Amino acid sequence: MECHGAGKQKGDLRLDARVFAFKGGHAGPALVAGNPAASPLYQRVITADAEERMPAKAEPLPASEIALLKAWIEAGAAWPEDEADRVAAVDPRRDHWAVQPVRMDF
């Protein structure tokens, strides 16, 4: 992420992990699960004000992506808690014991 990732956070907002997105930045939480109207992230995506709209310095998101974002927030903004959960959500086969790093837990 160019502006809100692990390396750089404009407005002290990080969007690369659930805990940071729900914590928010200088303006407070970016997401309010179940409520797009109260979610600044969604409001910044849909605003007509080019100075406020996200993504910054880029074309507005297509209507289909905005609708998907809205539906996701309305549904509770489900997001994996950590990297292991995120990988498993993307490809559940990666959660299988055979593809996990070897551990010496004995």
Side-chain angles (χ1 to χ4, degrees):
M1 295 189 145
E2 187 175 315
C3 298
H4 301 290
K8 182 178 182 183
Q9 300 92 36
K10 286 192 175 183
D12 202 29
L13 175 61
R14 209 171 145 179
L15 296 174
D16 62 323
R18 182 183 196 280
V19 66
F20 301 123
F22 281 93
K23 176 184 173 195
H26 294 307
L31 292 164
V32 178
N35 191 347
S39 296
L41 176 77
Y42 179 74
Q43 294 306 313
R44 294 291 294 265
V45 167
I46 66 167
T47 186
D49 183 344
E51 295 294 317
E52 294 290 320
R53 187 180 55 238
M54 292 292 137
K57 301 177 186 172
E59 291 295 316
L61 293 178
S64 61
E65 289 185 22
I66 292 172
L68 185 62
L69 177 63
K70 183 179 183 186
W72 175 69
I73 295 170
E74 287 174 336
W79 192 339
E81 290 290 333
D82 58 27
E83 182 62 22
D85 289 341
R86 184 172 28 234
V87 169
V90 172
D91 184 355
R93 296 172 297 170
R94 292 183 177 208
D95 202 31
H96 191 272
W97 68 268
V99 294
Q100 297 300 310
V102 175
R103 294 187 311 231
M104 304 302 253
D105 293 350
F106 50 94

